[in-house]
């Protein structure tokens, strides 16, 4: 795995050796971030990307690839939730190798119980285990606990056959299938 764009483009990322996580592939990450940067539906009302100076949350962080990609492309800070100890060690190694340790906050937390927000975020990445059904309840929990700014984007990765129910309080902006993955882009209603 590598960072596919931005200031850290081409830098290697470590993934946990255990099979406890399923990292988002380089191709899916590239598609996701191209959409964030160029799709008119995903820009702010002023026509800017939400990455520039934004705060992101990676609720099922795994290796942290989505967060590190966001930081490489202009995000200011990333919150990462990861319950697996081996994955957390991998995240810390990646942060150190990329000299980004001071721009992340890593929580040994289950995304289903996020606790009250430290700071609301501009973008939340949800990459739950495929067919777990966790995307909707985790997004609702993050919203309930104050993690999402008004009009924050939520990007959910599911498998192409998996269903995702758009929760109340969110608008569906786009869906895109990329190989075995489906990306669903939502915006929190004001």
């Amino acid at each position: 795995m590598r960072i596919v764009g931005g200031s850290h483009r081409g830098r290697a990322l470590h993934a946990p050796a255990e099979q406890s996580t399923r990292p988002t592939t380089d191709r899916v990450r590239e598609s996701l971030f191209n959409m964030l940067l160029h799709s008119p539906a995903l820009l702010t009302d002023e026509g800017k990307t939400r990455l520039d100076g934004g705060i992101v949350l990676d609720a099922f962080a795994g290796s942290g690839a989505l967060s590190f990609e966001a930081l490489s492309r202009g995000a200011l800070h990333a919150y990462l939730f990861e319950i697996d100890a081996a994955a957390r060690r991998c995240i810390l190694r990646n942060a150190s190798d990329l000299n980004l340790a001071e721009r992340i906050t890593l929580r040994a937390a289950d995304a289903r119980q996020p606790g009250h927000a430290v700071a609301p975020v501009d973008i939340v990445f949800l990459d739950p285990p495929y067919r777990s059904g966790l995307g909707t309840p985790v997004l609702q929990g993050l919203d309930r606990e104050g993690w999402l700014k008004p009009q924050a984007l939520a990007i959910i990765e599911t498998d192409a056959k998996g269903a995702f129910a758009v929760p109340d309080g969110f608008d569906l902006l786009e869906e895109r299938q990329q190989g075995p993955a489906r990306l669903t882009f939502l915006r929190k209603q004001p």
Side-chain angles (χ1 to χ4, degrees), residues 11 16 18-19 43 58 62 65-66 84 88 101 109 116 154 186 188:
R11 299 281 304 272
E18 296 82 12
Q19 296 295 321
L43 300 176
D58 193 346
L66 290 169
D84 184 75
R88 288 194 308 273
H116 192 67
L186 306 175
K188 180 177 166 39

Side-chain angles (χ1 to χ4, degrees), residues 137-161:
V138 167
L139 182 57
Q140 290 170 319
L142 291 169
D143 189 29
R144 197 171 35 255
E145 292 295 331
W147 282 99
L148 305 179
K149 286 183 180 178
Q151 298 192 359
L153 290 182
I155 300 131
I156 300 90
E157 179 184 342
T158 57
D159 69 320
K161 296 178 183 175

Side-chain angles (χ1 to χ4, degrees), residues 10-83:
R11 299 281 304 272
L13 291 171
H14 306 282
E18 296 82 12
Q19 296 295 321
S20 59
T21 63
R22 174 197 36 78
T24 299
T25 67
D26 292 355
R27 179 176 273 180
V28 172
R29 273 187 290 111
E30 184 173 22
S31 177
L32 185 159
F33 282 92
N34 282 340
M35 290 181 69
L36 275 176
L37 294 170
H38 303 293
S39 174
L42 303 178
L43 300 176
T44 66
D45 291 339
E46 296 80 31
K48 297 180 181 180
T49 173
R50 294 168 199 274
L51 284 172
D52 288 334
I55 300 172
V56 302
L57 187 151
D58 193 346
F60 297 89
S63 66
L66 290 169
S67 292
F68 295 123
E69 191 75 45
L71 292 169
S72 179
R73 293 174 183 249
L76 180 65
H77 193 82
Y79 291 93
L80 299 93
F81 294 173
E82 180 52 58
I83 196 165

